[in-house]
Amino acid sequence: MSSTFQPLRVGLIGTGQISDIYLQTCAKYDEVQIVACGSLDQHQSRAKAAQHNINKVCTPEEIIADREIDAILNLTVPAAHAQVSLAALEAGKHVYSEKPLASSVDDGLKILAASIENGLTVGVAPDTFLGGRWQTVRKLLDDGIIGRPTGVNVFAGTHGTERHHPNPDFYYQSGGGPILDLGPYYLTTMVFLLGPITRVAGLANRAFDQRMIECGPRYGTKLDVEVDTHVHGMLEFESGVVGSMTMSFDIWDSETPRLEIYGEQGTICIPDPDPVHGSNIFQGDVWYRTRETSRWTHQPRPTGRDQWQVANNDHGLNEDSRGIGLVEMACAIRENRLPRASGKLAFHVLEVMLAILRSSQKRQFIAITSRPPIPEILPQPNSKRLFAV
Ligand SMILES: NC(=O)c1ccc[n+]([C@@H]2O[C@H](COP(=O)([O-])OP(=O)(O)OC[C@H]3O[C@@H](n4cnc5c(N)ncnc54)[C@H](O)[C@@H]3O)[C@@H](O)[C@H]2O)c1
Protein backbone atom coordinates (compact mmCIF):
# COMPACT_ATOMS: atom_id res chain seq x y z
CA MET A 1 0.00 0.00 0.00
CA SER A 2 1.43 3.42 -0.94
CA SER A 3 2.49 5.94 1.72
CA THR A 4 -0.26 8.34 0.54
CA PHE A 5 -2.95 5.73 1.10
CA GLN A 6 -5.76 6.96 3.35
CA PRO A 7 -8.45 4.60 4.60
CA LEU A 8 -12.09 5.58 4.14
CA ARG A 9 -13.06 7.09 7.51
CA VAL A 10 -16.44 5.63 8.44
CA GLY A 11 -19.03 6.63 11.04
CA LEU A 12 -21.34 3.80 12.09
CA ILE A 13 -24.99 4.62 12.83
CA GLY A 14 -26.91 1.70 14.35
CA THR A 15 -25.04 -0.46 16.84
CA GLY A 16 -27.47 -3.39 17.18
CA GLN A 17 -27.32 -7.11 16.44
CA ILE A 18 -25.74 -7.04 12.99
CA SER A 19 -23.01 -4.49 13.75
CA ASP A 20 -20.57 -7.00 15.33
CA ILE A 21 -19.88 -8.94 12.15
CA TYR A 22 -19.45 -5.67 10.20
CA LEU A 23 -16.96 -4.39 12.74
CA GLN A 24 -15.08 -7.71 12.76
CA THR A 25 -14.85 -7.73 8.96
CA CYS A 26 -13.79 -4.08 8.68
CA ALA A 27 -11.05 -4.62 11.29
CA LYS A 28 -9.38 -7.11 8.89
CA TYR A 29 -8.96 -4.60 6.04
CA ASP A 30 -6.86 -1.41 5.74
CA GLU A 31 -9.31 0.16 3.29
CA VAL A 32 -11.76 1.29 5.97
CA GLN A 33 -11.48 2.64 9.48
CA ILE A 34 -14.50 2.91 11.77
CA VAL A 35 -13.83 6.18 13.60
CA ALA A 36 -17.12 6.79 15.45
CA CYS A 37 -20.38 5.11 16.27
CA GLY A 38 -23.82 6.05 17.58
CA SER A 39 -27.45 5.07 17.66
CA LEU A 40 -30.69 5.88 19.46
CA ASP A 41 -29.23 3.99 22.44
CA GLN A 42 -25.96 5.58 23.53
CA HIS A 43 -25.48 2.98 26.27
CA GLN A 44 -25.52 0.26 23.58
CA SER A 45 -23.18 2.30 21.36
CA ARG A 46 -20.70 2.88 24.19
CA ALA A 47 -20.57 -0.87 24.86
CA LYS A 48 -20.05 -1.55 21.14
CA ALA A 49 -17.29 1.06 20.94
CA ALA A 50 -15.49 -0.48 23.92
CA GLN A 51 -15.81 -3.98 22.45
CA HIS A 52 -14.42 -2.98 19.03
CA ASN A 53 -11.97 -0.20 19.99
CA ILE A 54 -13.90 2.64 18.38
CA ASN A 55 -12.62 5.97 19.67
CA LYS A 56 -15.72 8.19 19.51
CA VAL A 57 -19.33 7.67 20.57
CA CYS A 58 -21.61 10.45 19.31
CA THR A 59 -25.22 11.06 18.46
CA PRO A 60 -26.26 10.15 14.88
CA GLU A 61 -26.54 13.89 14.10
CA GLU A 62 -22.99 14.54 15.33
CA ILE A 63 -21.65 11.68 13.21
CA ILE A 64 -23.38 12.99 10.11
CA ALA A 65 -22.01 16.52 10.75
CA ASP A 66 -18.45 15.35 11.54
CA ARG A 67 -16.00 16.71 8.93
CA GLU A 68 -13.47 14.00 9.79
CA ILE A 69 -15.86 11.32 8.50
CA ASP A 70 -16.00 10.35 4.80
CA ALA A 71 -18.77 7.76 4.82
CA ILE A 72 -21.70 6.57 6.91
CA LEU A 73 -22.32 2.90 7.59
CA ASN A 74 -26.10 2.78 8.06
CA LEU A 75 -27.06 -0.25 10.16
CA THR A 76 -30.33 1.16 11.50
CA VAL A 77 -33.71 -0.57 11.23
CA PRO A 78 -35.29 -0.60 7.72
CA ALA A 79 -37.81 2.17 8.48
CA ALA A 80 -34.90 4.54 9.24
CA HIS A 81 -32.63 3.58 6.30
CA ALA A 82 -33.82 6.29 3.89
CA GLN A 83 -33.85 9.12 6.41
CA VAL A 84 -30.32 8.35 7.68
CA SER A 85 -28.88 7.73 4.18
CA LEU A 86 -30.39 10.95 2.78
CA ALA A 87 -29.12 13.03 5.71
CA ALA A 88 -25.65 11.57 5.21
CA LEU A 89 -25.61 12.26 1.45
CA GLU A 90 -26.85 15.81 1.98
CA ALA A 91 -23.98 16.31 4.45
CA GLY A 92 -21.50 15.22 1.75
CA LYS A 93 -20.83 11.67 2.94
CA HIS A 94 -20.77 8.41 1.02
CA VAL A 95 -23.21 5.79 2.34
CA TYR A 96 -23.15 2.05 2.78
CA SER A 97 -26.50 0.82 4.09
CA GLU A 98 -28.00 -2.41 5.29
CA LYS A 99 -30.80 -3.72 3.09
CA PRO A 100 -33.30 -2.71 1.95
CA LEU A 101 -32.12 0.53 0.34
CA ALA A 102 -35.42 2.13 1.47
CA SER A 103 -39.00 1.10 2.15
CA SER A 104 -40.50 2.85 -0.89
CA VAL A 105 -39.54 3.39 -4.53
CA ASP A 106 -39.81 7.17 -4.01
CA ASP A 107 -37.30 7.13 -1.17
CA GLY A 108 -35.02 4.83 -3.18
CA LEU A 109 -35.08 7.28 -6.08
CA LYS A 110 -34.35 10.20 -3.74
CA ILE A 111 -31.26 8.39 -2.43
CA LEU A 112 -29.96 7.68 -5.95
CA ALA A 113 -30.64 11.30 -6.98
CA ALA A 114 -28.86 12.69 -3.90
CA SER A 115 -25.82 10.51 -4.59
CA ILE A 116 -25.62 11.76 -8.19
CA GLU A 117 -26.21 15.42 -7.26
CA ASN A 118 -23.51 15.34 -4.61
CA GLY A 119 -21.06 13.13 -6.53
CA LEU A 120 -21.13 10.51 -3.78
CA THR A 121 -21.22 6.73 -3.75
CA VAL A 122 -24.03 4.57 -2.34
CA GLY A 123 -23.49 0.92 -1.54
CA VAL A 124 -26.08 -1.43 -0.08
CA ALA A 125 -26.10 -4.90 1.47
CA PRO A 126 -26.31 -7.76 0.79
CA ASP A 127 -22.70 -8.41 -0.11
CA THR A 128 -23.07 -12.17 0.26
CA PHE A 129 -22.89 -12.59 -3.53
CA LEU A 130 -19.18 -11.70 -3.20
CA GLY A 131 -18.73 -14.98 -1.30
CA GLY A 132 -16.92 -17.98 -2.71
CA ARG A 133 -20.11 -19.95 -3.20
CA TRP A 134 -21.80 -17.38 -5.45
CA GLN A 135 -18.67 -16.48 -7.36
CA THR A 136 -18.32 -20.20 -8.11
CA VAL A 137 -21.91 -20.38 -9.41
CA ARG A 138 -21.30 -17.33 -11.59
CA LYS A 139 -18.12 -18.89 -13.00
CA LEU A 140 -19.98 -22.14 -13.77
CA LEU A 141 -22.64 -20.13 -15.61
CA ASP A 142 -20.15 -17.89 -17.44
CA ASP A 143 -18.22 -20.98 -18.56
CA GLY A 144 -21.43 -22.48 -19.95
CA ILE A 145 -21.37 -25.62 -17.78
CA ILE A 146 -25.21 -25.89 -17.89
CA GLY A 147 -25.63 -24.16 -21.24
CA ARG A 148 -28.15 -21.37 -21.66
CA PRO A 149 -30.09 -20.86 -18.40
CA THR A 150 -33.87 -21.04 -18.84
CA GLY A 151 -35.30 -21.27 -15.30
CA VAL A 152 -34.57 -20.45 -11.67
CA ASN A 153 -36.24 -21.30 -8.39
CA VAL A 154 -35.35 -19.88 -4.96
CA PHE A 155 -36.74 -20.66 -1.55
CA ALA A 156 -36.23 -19.33 1.98
CA GLY A 157 -38.68 -20.70 4.52
CA THR A 158 -38.15 -19.69 8.14
CA HIS A 159 -40.41 -19.19 11.11
CA GLY A 160 -39.48 -15.56 11.59
CA THR A 161 -37.09 -13.90 13.98
CA GLU A 162 -38.80 -13.61 17.38
CA ARG A 163 -37.01 -16.70 18.73
CA HIS A 164 -33.51 -15.31 18.21
CA HIS A 165 -33.79 -11.49 17.89
CA PRO A 166 -34.46 -9.59 21.16
CA ASN A 167 -36.08 -6.67 19.27
CA PRO A 168 -37.78 -8.26 16.25
CA ASP A 169 -40.42 -5.49 15.89
CA PHE A 170 -39.04 -4.17 12.58
CA TYR A 171 -39.38 -7.53 10.85
CA TYR A 172 -43.17 -7.29 11.17
CA GLN A 173 -43.55 -3.58 10.37
CA SER A 174 -43.55 -1.66 7.08
CA GLY A 175 -40.10 -2.12 5.51
CA GLY A 176 -39.88 -5.62 7.01
CA GLY A 177 -41.52 -8.96 6.20
CA PRO A 178 -39.78 -11.85 4.43
CA ILE A 179 -39.73 -10.31 0.96
CA LEU A 180 -37.92 -7.14 2.11
CA ASP A 181 -35.78 -8.97 4.68
CA LEU A 182 -34.80 -12.23 2.92
CA GLY A 183 -35.68 -11.19 -0.62
CA PRO A 184 -32.61 -8.93 -1.08
CA TYR A 185 -30.22 -11.88 -0.62
CA TYR A 186 -31.91 -14.01 -3.24
CA LEU A 187 -32.84 -11.28 -5.71
CA THR A 188 -29.41 -9.62 -5.61
CA THR A 189 -27.83 -13.03 -6.16
CA MET A 190 -30.18 -13.88 -9.02
CA VAL A 191 -29.54 -10.54 -10.73
CA PHE A 192 -25.76 -11.03 -10.28
CA LEU A 193 -26.08 -14.49 -11.86
CA LEU A 194 -28.81 -14.02 -14.47
CA GLY A 195 -29.16 -10.28 -15.16
CA PRO A 196 -32.03 -7.85 -14.67
CA ILE A 197 -35.68 -8.70 -14.00
CA THR A 198 -38.30 -7.22 -16.31
CA ARG A 199 -41.71 -8.40 -15.02
CA VAL A 200 -43.10 -9.91 -11.83
CA ALA A 201 -46.26 -11.25 -10.25
CA GLY A 202 -46.87 -12.00 -6.59
CA LEU A 203 -49.17 -13.72 -4.13
CA ALA A 204 -48.89 -13.13 -0.41
CA ASN A 205 -50.65 -13.86 2.87
CA ARG A 206 -49.87 -14.08 6.57
CA ALA A 207 -50.34 -16.96 9.04
CA PHE A 208 -50.55 -14.80 12.17
CA ASP A 209 -51.78 -11.31 13.05
CA GLN A 210 -49.61 -11.27 16.18
CA ARG A 211 -46.22 -12.69 17.13
CA MET A 212 -44.70 -13.12 20.60
CA ILE A 213 -41.05 -12.33 21.39
CA GLU A 214 -39.54 -15.61 22.60
CA CYS A 215 -36.07 -14.51 23.75
CA GLY A 216 -34.28 -11.74 25.65
CA PRO A 217 -35.55 -9.19 28.16
CA ARG A 218 -38.80 -8.54 26.28
CA TYR A 219 -39.84 -12.24 26.30
CA GLY A 220 -43.63 -12.51 26.15
CA THR A 221 -44.18 -9.12 24.46
CA LYS A 222 -46.81 -9.35 21.70
CA LEU A 223 -46.16 -7.67 18.33
CA ASP A 224 -48.81 -6.79 15.74
CA VAL A 225 -47.95 -8.17 12.31
CA GLU A 226 -48.38 -5.32 9.79
CA VAL A 227 -47.00 -7.06 6.69
CA ASP A 228 -47.54 -10.27 4.74
CA THR A 229 -45.25 -13.01 6.00
CA HIS A 230 -45.60 -15.66 3.27
CA VAL A 231 -44.81 -14.40 -0.23
CA HIS A 232 -44.55 -16.05 -3.66
CA GLY A 233 -43.11 -14.21 -6.63
CA MET A 234 -42.94 -15.05 -10.32
CA LEU A 235 -40.02 -13.47 -12.17
CA GLU A 236 -39.25 -12.82 -15.82
CA PHE A 237 -35.64 -11.90 -16.65
CA GLU A 238 -34.45 -9.80 -19.59
CA SER A 239 -32.43 -12.84 -20.74
CA GLY A 240 -35.65 -14.86 -21.16
CA VAL A 241 -35.11 -16.88 -17.96
CA VAL A 242 -38.31 -17.35 -15.94
CA GLY A 243 -38.33 -18.10 -12.25
CA SER A 244 -40.17 -18.28 -8.98
CA MET A 245 -39.34 -17.38 -5.40
CA THR A 246 -40.85 -18.21 -2.02
CA MET A 247 -39.85 -16.07 1.00
CA SER A 248 -41.59 -16.88 4.24
CA PHE A 249 -41.65 -16.33 7.99
CA ASP A 250 -44.48 -18.89 8.28
CA ILE A 251 -42.63 -22.15 7.54
CA TRP A 252 -41.45 -24.41 10.38
CA ASP A 253 -39.26 -26.56 8.15
CA SER A 254 -38.67 -27.68 4.59
CA GLU A 255 -36.32 -29.82 2.49
CA THR A 256 -36.67 -27.58 -0.56
CA PRO A 257 -33.28 -26.46 -1.98
CA ARG A 258 -32.37 -22.78 -1.53
CA LEU A 259 -31.69 -22.14 -5.20
CA GLU A 260 -31.72 -24.08 -8.45
CA ILE A 261 -30.84 -22.83 -11.93
CA TYR A 262 -32.02 -24.87 -14.88
CA GLY A 263 -30.07 -24.73 -18.14
CA GLU A 264 -30.39 -26.39 -21.52
CA GLN A 265 -27.48 -28.69 -20.64
CA GLY A 266 -27.77 -29.12 -16.88
CA THR A 267 -28.80 -27.89 -13.41
CA ILE A 268 -26.96 -25.97 -10.69
CA CYS A 269 -28.25 -26.51 -7.15
CA ILE A 270 -27.59 -24.89 -3.78
CA PRO A 271 -28.96 -27.69 -1.68
CA ASP A 272 -28.92 -26.60 2.00
CA PRO A 273 -32.22 -27.51 3.60
CA ASP A 274 -31.15 -25.60 6.72
CA PRO A 275 -32.82 -22.16 6.56
CA VAL A 276 -29.82 -20.30 7.96
CA HIS A 277 -27.91 -21.36 4.85
CA GLY A 278 -28.61 -20.49 1.26
CA SER A 279 -28.17 -17.19 -0.49
CA ASN A 280 -27.79 -15.62 2.93
CA ILE A 281 -24.20 -16.79 3.40
CA PHE A 282 -20.86 -16.56 1.67
CA GLN A 283 -19.62 -20.13 1.69
CA GLY A 284 -20.91 -23.63 1.05
CA ASP A 285 -21.45 -26.43 -1.36
CA VAL A 286 -22.46 -25.92 -4.99
CA TRP A 287 -23.82 -28.88 -6.95
CA TYR A 288 -24.19 -29.25 -10.68
CA ARG A 289 -25.39 -31.99 -12.94
CA THR A 290 -25.19 -32.00 -16.74
CA ARG A 291 -26.45 -34.26 -19.50
CA GLU A 292 -23.01 -35.94 -19.46
CA THR A 293 -23.09 -36.82 -15.74
CA SER A 294 -25.43 -39.24 -13.99
CA ARG A 295 -24.82 -37.73 -10.51
CA TRP A 296 -24.32 -34.35 -8.89
CA THR A 297 -20.81 -32.93 -9.04
CA HIS A 298 -19.86 -31.00 -5.89
CA GLN A 299 -17.99 -27.68 -5.93
CA PRO A 300 -15.64 -27.46 -4.25
CA ARG A 301 -14.85 -31.15 -4.36
CA PRO A 302 -13.82 -32.33 -0.88
CA THR A 303 -10.47 -33.56 -2.22
CA GLY A 304 -10.63 -32.01 -5.66
CA ARG A 305 -7.71 -30.63 -7.53
CA ASP A 306 -9.54 -29.06 -10.41
CA GLN A 307 -9.97 -25.40 -11.24
CA TRP A 308 -13.31 -25.07 -9.49
CA GLN A 309 -11.97 -25.77 -6.06
CA VAL A 310 -9.35 -23.11 -6.61
CA ALA A 311 -11.97 -20.70 -7.90
CA ASN A 312 -14.08 -21.21 -4.81
CA ASN A 313 -11.35 -20.86 -2.26
CA ASP A 314 -8.72 -18.54 -3.53
CA HIS A 315 -10.38 -15.17 -3.22
CA GLY A 316 -10.79 -15.90 0.45
CA LEU A 317 -14.42 -15.02 1.05
CA ASN A 318 -15.54 -18.40 2.30
CA GLU A 319 -16.62 -17.30 5.76
CA ASP A 320 -19.21 -14.84 7.04
CA SER A 321 -17.77 -11.56 5.76
CA ARG A 322 -20.71 -9.17 6.03
CA GLY A 323 -19.28 -5.73 5.64
CA ILE A 324 -16.99 -6.76 2.78
CA GLY A 325 -19.29 -4.76 0.50
CA LEU A 326 -18.23 -1.60 2.36
CA VAL A 327 -14.55 -2.54 1.95
CA GLU A 328 -15.15 -3.14 -1.77
CA MET A 329 -16.94 0.23 -1.94
CA ALA A 330 -13.88 1.94 -0.43
CA CYS A 331 -11.78 0.41 -3.24
CA ALA A 332 -14.37 1.50 -5.82
CA ILE A 333 -14.30 5.10 -4.57
CA ARG A 334 -10.51 5.14 -4.87
CA GLU A 335 -10.69 3.65 -8.36
CA ASN A 336 -13.52 5.99 -9.40
CA ARG A 337 -15.95 3.20 -10.34
CA LEU A 338 -19.25 1.84 -9.06
CA PRO A 339 -19.08 -0.58 -6.15
CA ARG A 340 -20.30 -4.10 -6.86
CA ALA A 341 -23.01 -3.92 -4.17
CA SER A 342 -24.22 -0.66 -5.69
CA GLY A 343 -27.18 1.56 -4.82
CA LYS A 344 -28.47 1.07 -8.38
CA LEU A 345 -28.47 -2.70 -7.94
CA ALA A 346 -30.27 -2.32 -4.59
CA PHE A 347 -32.82 0.00 -6.20
CA HIS A 348 -33.62 -2.62 -8.85
CA VAL A 349 -34.07 -5.23 -6.12
CA LEU A 350 -36.29 -2.82 -4.14
CA GLU A 351 -38.42 -2.13 -7.21
CA VAL A 352 -38.88 -5.89 -7.76
CA MET A 353 -39.75 -6.63 -4.11
CA LEU A 354 -42.33 -3.86 -3.85
CA ALA A 355 -43.81 -4.83 -7.23
CA ILE A 356 -44.28 -8.43 -6.04
CA LEU A 357 -46.25 -7.14 -3.04
CA ARG A 358 -48.23 -4.69 -5.19
CA SER A 359 -49.01 -7.43 -7.70
CA SER A 360 -50.46 -9.54 -4.91
CA GLN A 361 -52.86 -6.71 -4.04
CA LYS A 362 -53.70 -5.65 -7.61
CA ARG A 363 -53.83 -9.20 -9.04
CA GLN A 364 -51.81 -8.30 -12.11
CA PHE A 365 -48.29 -8.59 -13.55
CA ILE A 366 -46.09 -5.53 -12.97
CA ALA A 367 -43.32 -4.35 -15.31
CA ILE A 368 -39.92 -3.47 -13.80
CA THR A 369 -38.37 -0.39 -15.35
CA SER A 370 -34.91 -0.09 -13.74
CA ARG A 371 -31.89 -1.79 -15.34
CA PRO A 372 -28.97 -1.99 -12.90
CA PRO A 373 -25.30 -2.45 -13.66
CA ILE A 374 -24.51 -6.15 -13.20
CA PRO A 375 -21.55 -6.65 -10.83
CA GLU A 376 -18.38 -8.05 -12.34
CA ILE A 377 -17.22 -11.45 -11.12
CA LEU A 378 -14.30 -11.08 -8.68
CA PRO A 379 -10.80 -11.50 -10.06
CA GLN A 380 -9.95 -15.15 -10.35
CA PRO A 381 -7.39 -17.08 -8.30
CA ASN A 382 -3.98 -15.75 -7.51
CA SER A 383 -4.87 -12.16 -8.25
CA LYS A 384 -3.43 -9.83 -5.64
CA ARG A 385 -6.15 -7.32 -6.47
CA LEU A 386 -9.08 -8.70 -4.53
CA PHE A 387 -11.71 -6.39 -5.94
CA ALA A 388 -10.38 -4.89 -9.16
CA VAL A 389 -12.70 -5.06 -12.17
N1 LIG B 1 -29.91 -9.09 13.01
C1 LIG B 1 -29.57 -9.76 11.93
O1 LIG B 1 -29.30 -10.98 11.99
C2 LIG B 1 -29.47 -9.08 10.59
C3 LIG B 1 -28.91 -9.81 9.54
C4 LIG B 1 -28.75 -9.20 8.31
C5 LIG B 1 -29.16 -7.90 8.13
N2 LIG B 1 -29.74 -7.20 9.16
C6 LIG B 1 -30.20 -5.84 8.89
O2 LIG B 1 -29.43 -4.94 9.68
C7 LIG B 1 -30.22 -3.81 10.06
C8 LIG B 1 -30.17 -3.66 11.56
O3 LIG B 1 -30.62 -4.87 12.14
P1 LIG B 1 -30.27 -5.24 13.64
O4 LIG B 1 -30.73 -6.64 13.82
O5 LIG B 1 -28.86 -4.88 13.95
O6 LIG B 1 -31.29 -4.26 14.40
P2 LIG B 1 -31.26 -3.83 15.95
O7 LIG B 1 -32.66 -3.49 16.30
O8 LIG B 1 -30.53 -4.84 16.75
O9 LIG B 1 -30.38 -2.49 15.93
C9 LIG B 1 -30.80 -1.34 15.24
C10 LIG B 1 -29.90 -0.16 15.61
O10 LIG B 1 -30.32 0.99 14.86
C11 LIG B 1 -30.50 2.09 15.76
N3 LIG B 1 -31.52 2.97 15.19
C12 LIG B 1 -32.80 2.66 14.90
N4 LIG B 1 -33.42 3.74 14.35
C13 LIG B 1 -32.50 4.73 14.28
C14 LIG B 1 -32.53 6.07 13.83
N5 LIG B 1 -33.64 6.62 13.33
N6 LIG B 1 -31.39 6.81 13.91
C15 LIG B 1 -30.26 6.27 14.40
N7 LIG B 1 -30.17 5.00 14.86
C16 LIG B 1 -31.29 4.24 14.80
C17 LIG B 1 -30.90 1.45 17.06
O11 LIG B 1 -30.67 2.34 18.15
C18 LIG B 1 -29.96 0.24 17.07
O12 LIG B 1 -28.68 0.61 17.49
C19 LIG B 1 -31.63 -4.07 9.51
O13 LIG B 1 -31.78 -3.43 8.28
C20 LIG B 1 -31.64 -5.58 9.27
O14 LIG B 1 -32.50 -5.96 8.21
C21 LIG B 1 -29.87 -7.76 10.39
Side-chain angles (χ1 to χ4, degrees), residues 13-19 39-41 44 60 75-78 80-81 83-84 98-100 165 167 170-171 181 185 322:
I13 301 183
T15 49
Q17 288 271 301
I18 200 61
S19 57
S39 69
L40 298 182
D41 178 349
Q44 179 196 62
L75 303 185
T76 62
V77 294
H81 285 175
Q83 173 215 327
V84 170
E98 249 302 336
K99 45 75 187 168
H165 199 299
N167 297 305
F170 70 83
Y171 289 101
D181 179 53
Y185 296 108
R322 281 170 206 254

Side-chain angles (χ1 to χ4, degrees), residues 144-150 261-268 288-293:
I145 296 291
I146 62 163
R148 185 175 64 89
T150 54
I261 299 174
Y262 314 113
E264 283 176 332
Q265 308 293 332
T267 297
I268 293 173
Y288 70 85
R289 170 151 183 218
T290 68
R291 56 185 298 146
E292 278 78 38
T293 60

Side-chain angles (χ1 to χ4, degrees), residues 45-54 57:
S45 298
R46 273 194 291 278
K48 200 68 66 170
Q51 191 187 342
H52 293 277
N53 300 317
I54 300 170
V57 178

Side-chain angles (χ1 to χ4, degrees), residues 28-44:
K28 294 181 193 160
Y29 293 88
D30 294 331
E31 281 82 358
V32 293
Q33 190 184 0
I34 309 290
V35 295
C37 70
S39 69
L40 298 182
D41 178 349
Q42 293 302 79
H43 178 70
Q44 179 196 62

Side-chain angles (χ1 to χ4, degrees), residues 155-162 168-183 203-212 223-233 245-252 353 356-357 360-361:
F155 176 91
T158 73
H159 212 271
T161 52
E162 62 274 25
D169 314 51
F170 70 83
Y171 289 101
Y172 300 105
Q173 297 166 349
S174 170
I179 191 76
L180 284 160
D181 179 53
L182 298 169
L203 286 171
N205 66 10
R206 64 190 79 170
F208 311 100
D209 290 327
Q210 273 200 330
R211 299 269 181 154
M212 188 181 85
L223 305 174
D224 289 335
V225 176
E226 297 169 11
V227 291
D228 282 333
T229 46
H230 186 76
V231 184
H232 291 281
M245 67 189 296
T246 303
M247 302 284 119
S248 183
F249 287 166
D250 294 345
I251 293 177
W252 283 109
M353 296 188 296
I356 288 172
L357 294 175
S360 169
Q361 289 160 358

Side-chain angles (χ1 to χ4, degrees), residues 258-336:
R258 302 295 105 185
L259 174 142
E260 289 184 330
I261 299 174
Y262 314 113
E264 283 176 332
Q265 308 293 332
T267 297
I268 293 173
C269 176
I270 299 301
D272 306 323
D274 178 345
V276 300
H277 292 132
S279 184
N280 204 340
I281 54 161
F282 288 78
Q283 75 279 19
D285 214 1
V286 176
W287 299 358
Y288 70 85
R289 170 151 183 218
T290 68
R291 56 185 298 146
E292 278 78 38
T293 60
S294 57
R295 294 185 174 181
W296 293 106
T297 302
H298 292 237
Q299 300 297 343
R301 294 165 198 270
T303 56
R305 268 162 286 164
D306 68 9
Q307 56 173 323
W308 299 109
Q309 188 183 10
V310 175
N312 194 18
N313 292 332
D314 208 44
H315 60 69
L317 296 176
N318 284 293
E319 58 187 16
D320 189 351
S321 307
R322 281 170 206 254
I324 198 73
L326 169 64
V327 178
E328 201 268 347
M329 185 177 99
C331 298
I333 291 168
R334 232 181 25 249
E335 293 164 12
N336 198 22

